Amino acid sequence: MARRNRACPEGVPQHLIQRGNNRQPCFGGTADFAAYAHWLREAAERFDVAVHAWVLMTNHVHLLATPATGDGISRMMQHLGRHYVRYFNHVHGRTGTLWEGRFKACLVQDTAYLLHCYRYIECNPVRAGMVSDPADYRWSSYRVNALGIESSLCTPHEIYCSLGQGDGRLAAYRALFAPHVDGEPIAEIREATRRGHALGDERFIREMEARTGTRLRTGKSGPKTKCKSGGGDPEVTV
């Protein structure tokens, strides 16, 4: 069966997931995480993709990014994959595939849905039980977006910037992760990403379908959960 064409309109944010083959680890330690981050930054710059949020887990990766061109995301991931897999196989004395097929992606409306994705991505280590606070996990964008740590990898999205200025913006962003705040619609994000659909309201979905000529609908959204609750993505602890 032919593979479904990706819907990749320029200027529209996308949530990306790439998993290790058979959910095997794709990072063995600090050097591997650093190597992946290096080539991600290089590929994003080369293919004009703005990366807004990211997390590198032991056996999978989440990214939130906006391409400036229709093929920017695919070219970025191809470039990154070639370099990182070659490196990983050499360092770990292995051959063959590292990733579980093509990366998965969904279009994300640049409203509250985008902030839900920021939080969904950066809460992954918390849901996996690796840390109790996202600030305690080094290999994510949380410290950049919530604490103001300098980064040459992250590019703030306009929706993130609209939270305020300076320390006020950082405080407003951290408040999105407070235990009493309703969490991101986890089931809806996962389903849209798995199926390659669009995450947003009805108007956004219709607009993206008209723009791409592709059906981009999922079922009804799932129940909302809190950031600090269980039910994280399957994970192998570093």
Side-chain angles (χ1 to χ4, degrees):
M1 180 181 295
R3 295 194 302 188
R4 183 173 182 269
N5 291 332
R6 292 189 186 277
C8 300
E10 67 274 11
V12 179
Q14 296 186 36
H15 172 226
L16 318 175
I17 300 178
Q18 190 159 42
R19 298 189 182 279
N21 191 39
N22 294 322
R23 304 210 178 207
Q24 296 292 315
C26 43
F27 300 102
T30 299
D32 294 345
F33 286 120
Y36 186 96
H38 165 75
W39 278 307
L40 172 59
R41 180 175 61 250
E42 178 181 274
E45 292 176 354
R46 180 170 180 175
F47 299 108
D48 204 7
V49 177
V51 177
H52 312 302
W54 54 274
V55 66
L56 310 183
M57 305 292 280
T58 305
N59 61 4
H60 66 283
V61 172
H62 290 264
L63 305 173
L64 180 63
T66 302
T69 62
D71 62 353
I73 292 287
S74 293
R75 297 181 71 186
M76 177 185 77
M77 296 302 287
Q78 289 169 2
H79 180 88
L80 172 60
R82 282 196 300 269
H83 284 78
Y84 182 72
V85 173
R86 186 183 304 126
Y87 154 84
F88 189 86
N89 284 351
H90 174 73
V91 168
H92 296 280
R94 67 186 298 279
T95 60
T97 186
L98 177 63
W99 304 113
E100 187 178 71
R102 296 198 301 172
F103 66 90
K104 298 184 182 300
C106 73
L107 304 178
V108 183
Q109 187 174 11
D110 55 357
T111 56
Y113 285 95
L114 191 76
L115 293 177
H116 285 318
C117 278
Y118 266 92
R119 186 168 52 189
Y120 173 79
I121 289 169
E122 294 173 354
C123 273
N124 244 252
V126 176
R127 287 194 301 273
M130 301 172 73
V131 294
S132 59
D133 188 309
D136 294 332
Y137 191 72
R138 176 181 177 185
W139 299 105
S140 91
S141 54
Y142 180 82
R143 296 187 194 186
V144 179
N145 293 320
L147 305 179
I149 302 299
E150 292 291 329
S151 170
S152 58
L153 174 56
C154 271
T155 300
H157 191 276
E158 291 179 1
I159 294 298
Y160 167 81
C161 292
S162 71
L163 294 174
Q165 299 289 328
D167 291 342
R169 178 193 299 164
L170 300 178
Y173 187 78
R174 290 194 299 272
L176 298 175
F177 291 73
H180 67 276
V181 176
D182 285 342
E184 69 281 355
I186 292 176
E188 187 175 358
I189 293 172
R190 288 177 176 166
E191 182 72 359
T193 307
R194 183 177 71 85
R195 292 181 176 274
H197 287 173
L199 182 67
D201 60 25
E202 179 63 22
R203 180 177 179 180
F204 173 74
I205 294 173
R206 287 201 308 268
E207 178 185 343
M208 292 299 102
E209 288 181 331
R211 186 170 171 181
T212 64
T214 305
R215 181 171 174 79
L216 299 171
R217 295 174 183 273
T218 63
K220 295 181 179 179
S221 61
K224 294 185 178 181
T225 61
K226 295 182 179 179
C227 172
K228 300 210 178 254
S229 64
D233 290 341
E235 178 61 19
V236 179
T237 304
V238 176

